[in-house]
């Protein structure tokens, strides 16, 4: 009896073992496959196209040109497979036009680790260069990188800084020549300017020298903040025969008030950027800031994906210059647009705005 019971218990034990092993194999095959898959993934070569990146942006203020610069920059990254929300973590900071915020933002960025840092406009770029030492820095929408002391050599900047200037001095000269040639009654051009912005001062100096060759004066109406722009523009009525704005962040932020005054008093209004012409200035010699930002974005891709040292990359300048005319603004400002003016526009499809 005991012998039979022992045999029976042995059979039961064998059945339990078989069932248990079958259960483990049924569930275990998946976990084993997952484990093997994990090992295969771990052993496979790294896919650099899927590598994730962390980028910080410091922008002086929101206005069309600078926003378009940022959009172009991000578009270039996206076209290269670096997409916000997928493999790009973006830290966007806006100083809201307050110079003290630039330093605070730069110090915050310096305290973290980024694969690349972008400064949009001169003041943020200067703050970043002064604070960030461990990350590559690119700048955009900077008028004169040498004068701003961002780099000391445009061809071989060295260190961890390079970028793109948004000013070709020839554009200013061409615009002043256009005024002199087509507006014979203009004896003085008025400019609203924040003389605390280095880029604005440099551009105004270029404009003044170009106008002097034609016997035309440049009259400056200074401001220190955006709220003063309208009053400064009004102060030029009766003293200036035309109005002009540089890439002055303080002024561009409130440029709609300058447009309003130009329209009310039939004063031709010339700007330094396409975006202001699209908003209501009459003319500029310029380019698309989106393209400018895209150019900087391509530099970023070379740094991030190709391992280029940013200090070995030459500072770039806009080269797609063209006369841009807003025909609707001309009507608002009492300007007769001649065929000769239109003939000066190379890309009439895109740069004759109606």
């Amino acid at each position: 009896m005991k012998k039979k019971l022992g045999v029976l218990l042995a059979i039961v034990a064998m059945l339990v073992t078989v069932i248990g092993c079958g259960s483990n194999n049924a569930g275990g095959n998946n976990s084993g496959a997952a484990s093997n898959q994990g090992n295969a993934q771990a052993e496979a070569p790294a896919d650099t196209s899927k590598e994730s990146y962390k980028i910080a942006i410091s922008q002086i203020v929101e206005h069309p040109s600078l926003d378009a610069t940022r959009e172009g920059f991000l578009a270039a990254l996206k076209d290269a497979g670096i997409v916000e929300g997928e493999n790009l973590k973006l830290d966007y900071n806006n100083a809201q036009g307050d110079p003290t915020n630039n330093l605070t933002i730069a110090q915050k960025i310096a305290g973290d680790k980024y694969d690349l840092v972008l400064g949009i406009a001169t003041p943020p770029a200067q703050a970043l260069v002064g604070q960030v030492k461990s990350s590559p820095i690119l700048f955009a929408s900077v008028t004169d990188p040498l004068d701003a002391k961002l780099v000391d050599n445009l061809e071989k900047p060295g260190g961890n800084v390079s970028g793109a200037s948004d000013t070709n001095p020839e554009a200013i000269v061409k615009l002043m020549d256009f005024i002199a040639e087509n507006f014979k009654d203009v004896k003085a051009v008025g400019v609203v300017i924040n003389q605390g912005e280095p880029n604005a001062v440099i551009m105004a100096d270029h404009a003044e020298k170009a106008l002097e060759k034609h016997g035309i004066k440049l009259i400056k109406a200074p401001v220190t903040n955006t709220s003063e722009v309208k009053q400064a523009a009004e102060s030029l009525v009766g003293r200036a025969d035309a109005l002009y704005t540089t890439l002055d962040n303080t002024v561009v932020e409130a440029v709609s008030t300058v447009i309003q005054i130009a329209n009310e008093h039939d004063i031709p209004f010339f700007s330094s950027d396409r975006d202001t012409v699209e908003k209501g200035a009459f003319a500029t010699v310029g380019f698309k800031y989106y393209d400018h930002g895209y150019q900087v974005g391509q530099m970023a891709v070379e740094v991030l994906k190709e391992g280029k040292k940013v200090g070995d990359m030459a500072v770039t300048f806009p080269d797609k210059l063209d006369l841009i005319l807003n025909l609707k603004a001309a009507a608002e400002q009492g300007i007769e647009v001649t065929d000769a003016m239109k003939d000066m526009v190379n890309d009439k499809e895109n740069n004759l705005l109606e």
Side-chain angles (χ1 to χ4, degrees), residues 42-65:
E43 293 168 3
D47 183 357
T48 56
S49 67
K50 298 299 182 184
E51 186 176 351
S52 60
Y53 303 93
K54 188 176 178 183
I55 294 176
I57 297 178
S58 180
Q59 182 173 320
I60 182 66
V61 72
E62 289 185 356
H63 70 59
S65 296

